[in-house]
Amino acid sequence: MDVPRLRNVWRRVFALAWPVMAEQTFRTAMRTTDVLVTALFSPAAVVAIGLADLYARFPLRVGLGLGGGAIALSSQDTGADATGNRDEAVTQAILIGALAGVPFVLVGLRFGELAIDVFGRLVGEGTAPEVVALGSTYLAVVFATAPARHVALVAARALQGTGDTRTPMYVNVAANSVNIAGSVVFGLGLFGFPRLEVLGVGLATATANALTAGLLCLAIWGPRTEASFARPRDPAIAGQLLRVSAPRVAEGFGSELAEFPFNALLLGFGEAVNAGFQIGRRVYQQVTGPLSRGYNVAASVLVGQALGAGDPDGARFDGWAVAGLGVLTVGSIGVGLVVVAPRLVPLFTDDAPTVRYAVDFARVYGVAGAALACFSALSGALQGASETRIPFVARVSGMFGLFLGASWLLGRTAGFGPTGAYVGVSLAYVWMALVVAAGFRYSGWADRAAALMAERGTGLDDPDVDETEEPATD
């Protein structure tokens, strides 16, 4: 093992990842604040927010998918010094993201109650009216800013692809701080403001989405960032954005679709089980989510820029190095979470049955932490190479075959109850890690990236293209 080279990669990883980790810490702190605030209202409020968030993650998945295409093209074109292509890719991705958010606005306004009520119907029981009312209100407010959420996600990843992970951090930390303060003030009715409860939490989230999108667009438009807006001209770039992004979007949609019957399964075991799942997973995400997201972005940037510079061997080494760092750090934290979960969970709720199940789910996620980190890092590395099909197969097969399938078979059919869900969740993430590891080791992702770069006119061997002046069109 080349230890000096490994240390050098890890230093680069930390330089890229720590702003993403800080940004994600505030994002997860915001979501944790939402859970804490809503837990003060009632267990039904926690369930309502949790169920509504399943739908709210669909705009997230679209934004992350388009952001995946943006970071792939941005990092490769930055490595190849093809700034014209990069800026056009950034612009087109943001425009596509904004348009893709409009249908969510309509869904939130017209079908919110039906969307929440469907969970109870999946297991032959009606969803509690209070849960339906609270969940549909939150969903309508959050979906209203879906276009802004898409723009924010795409713009952040486009900047990260250039190696600038600090600007998105500054913007997201500021916006999420506003979100946290808004959830507390408007949700609880502090400082003379009305107590809006779930509606107040939703309004705070919507405000932060709009603020983030606006500030990031200003950053790209201004002179302080490497990326810029450019007039869309080359359909090949738009086509590649969609080709790279589509598996990422489908991966996310598949994951979220699997969560619907999974949450219905947990509701069938009791409201406390579902609330415990929401809280237990939130505890895990709060302590490890920032690291996993940071490693995912760092792997995409390092691999993409190495491929753009014509160094596929370096890209391969970088990908494995980031995965190893993720397993070491997140895996260790996961083990610690198994021990301290009984002390952390009561910070979220004092409902005894909910606490018991939340501790169990937090421990399940802690045990699976190393596998989750491996999957996140290597899927990021493959994304940087424009290979998003392998993570799609890994996640969808894991979510439907094990997360949902094994949990349902063991929990409901075999009668093991929540224990069956614990096993299904653990197996799903181990499987996902194994699939992306095999894909990164054996598939031809480097050749795919080279072919796509040649198709859009990006590369070191094209001396006739001055990509600093205008986008390539061949």
Side-chain angles (χ1 to χ4, degrees), residues 372-460:
L372 273 165
C374 180
F375 170 75
S376 182
L378 291 180
S379 64
L382 289 166
Q383 176 178 265
S386 300
E387 178 53 270
T388 50
R389 298 168 298 179
I390 293 171
F392 162 74
V393 172
R395 187 184 290 272
V396 171
S397 61
M399 292 299 291
F400 280 97
L402 296 169
F403 187 90
L404 173 60
S407 296
W408 198 287
L409 178 65
L410 295 174
R412 193 173 181 87
T413 305
F416 287 103
T419 302
Y422 304 155
V423 175
V425 170
S426 300
L427 292 177
Y429 294 123
V430 172
W431 167 258
M432 288 159 54
L434 291 174
V435 172
V436 293
F440 192 72
R441 171 65 178 83
Y442 297 109
S443 72
W445 48 266
D447 292 337
R448 172 180 169 82
L452 290 174
M453 285 189 287
E455 179 182 303
R456 66 180 186 270
T458 294
L460 299 177

Side-chain angles (χ1 to χ4, degrees), residues 225-242:
T225 59
E226 187 172 340
S228 300
F229 289 117
R231 180 180 177 183
R233 296 177 179 177
D234 190 352
I237 293 177
Q240 287 194 16
L241 277 170
L242 294 176

Side-chain angles (χ1 to χ4, degrees), residues 10 22 61 81 186 228 240 253 262 273 363 398 404 433:
W10 282 2
R61 294 300 187 177
D81 199 27
F186 295 121
S228 300
Q240 287 194 16
F253 272 40
F262 181 78
V273 178
R363 284 173 165 169
L404 173 60

Side-chain angles (χ1 to χ4, degrees), residues 110-210:
R110 297 292 300 274
F111 303 106
E113 292 187 0
L114 178 63
I116 301 300
D117 188 50
V118 74
F119 291 97
R121 296 181 182 275
L122 285 173
V123 291
E125 302 175 8
T127 306
E130 184 182 4
V131 172
V132 173
L134 295 174
S136 61
T137 297
Y138 178 84
L139 187 63
V141 173
V142 173
F143 265 21
T145 55
R149 182 75 171 126
H150 288 175
V151 168
L153 289 165
V154 172
R157 274 141 193 80
L159 288 173
Q160 290 165 352
T162 69
D164 179 7
T165 55
R166 296 192 180 193
T167 299
M169 175 194 69
Y170 297 143
V171 170
N172 278 285
V173 166
N176 286 320
S177 297
V178 170
N179 196 334
I180 291 171
S183 293
V184 174
V185 171
F186 295 121
L188 299 177
L190 303 181
F191 306 114
F193 288 93
R195 182 183 172 96
L196 300 177
E197 299 194 351
V198 169
L199 174 60
V201 173
L203 288 172
T205 300
T207 300
N209 288 343

